[in-house]
Amino acid sequence: MCDTGHAGGHAAFGFLVDTPEIRELVAETHRVTAGIADSAIRVETLKPAFAALLAADGWLPEAYSRPDEKSGMGGGIGQYALYRAEDGSLCLFSLVVPAGAATPVHDHLAWGLVGVYRGRQDETVYRRLDDGRDPARADLEIAKRQTLDRGDFYALLPPTDDIHYVRTVSDTPSISIHLLANDTACVWRHRFEPDTGKVTPFRSGYANAPCPPASAR
Ligand SMILES: [Fe+2]
């Protein structure tokens, strides 16, 4: 584990927010990842620890609870790294979506858990109907919709239910917490336009930590 990455004097890797609650979840995730090979069993095993973080108060700094007007995702959406493994195998981040705003339709490309910490979100999940052979096209249909309140969370187990968007339906910004087995904001993922089938590669980036050069990962 490395806490000494550098980006303009700030740590880029390790615990960008260092609290006992975050350390406990990250330690548990490393233990579970080392001891369990199956991703579905990993996320099931991690649910109590993840729920405990969502239920706890006082560990998320105010600066990482706000929208970000320079957002890489657009719409004022803030994505703030809380923990990043230097080898790209794990990250924890907050995603702040202003009231009424929605993310693009996107994928994640890693197993993990996502839950609402503040506010309320509607999630729309898509099912892919094509075989994925054409990197620029995807044929999507809506698989399910759900509303998530504070403390609600779901598992990501790609390729199942990996393509979705969320919209904040509370009067205040929603904050969701993401524990994912990659360096989500820095990997090349995909933005989808379900109406036209267009697929565009993108890196969302963190508001508080740089990504490696585009070709590095
Ligand atoms: Fe997402």
Side-chain angles (χ1 to χ4, degrees), residues 42-129:
R42 282 177 179 166
V43 294
E44 204 55 41
T45 307
L46 283 167
K47 283 181 176 178
F50 190 71
L53 185 70
L54 291 181
D57 290 319
W59 56 267
L60 184 64
E62 170 62 27
Y64 297 166
S65 308
R66 288 193 219 119
D68 170 22
E69 291 315 318
K70 290 175 286 182
S71 169
M73 267 207 199
I77 296 168
Q79 187 167 4
Y80 304 96
L82 309 174
Y83 171 82
R84 296 170 75 200
E86 193 158 12
D87 65 359
S89 64
L90 183 67
C91 68
L92 182 73
F93 62 89
S94 62
L95 187 81
V96 183
V97 182
T103 66
V105 180
H106 62 272
D107 59 10
H108 310 81
L109 307 176
W111 61 263
L113 289 162
V114 182
V116 171
Y117 187 56
R118 296 288 183 263
R120 176 185 287 170
Q121 292 181 348
D122 275 356
E123 184 202 19
T124 301
V125 181
Y126 290 86
R127 178 185 304 122
R128 188 163 189 161
L129 302 176

Side-chain angles (χ1 to χ4, degrees), residues 73 93 95 103-104 106-108 114 123 154 156 162-166 176 178 180 184 189:
M73 267 207 199
F93 62 89
L95 187 81
T103 66
H106 62 272
D107 59 10
H108 310 81
V114 182
E123 184 202 19
Y154 51 86
L156 290 175
D162 192 40
I163 301 173
H164 77 167
Y165 76 92
V166 298
S176 49
H178 300 238
L180 291 176
T184 310
R189 321 188 259 150

Side-chain angles (χ1 to χ4, degrees), residues 197-217:
K198 188 177 175 193
V199 180
T200 312
F202 87 114
R203 294 205 301 180
S204 50
Y206 299 108
N208 63 328
C211 288
S215 58
R217 226 174 240 171

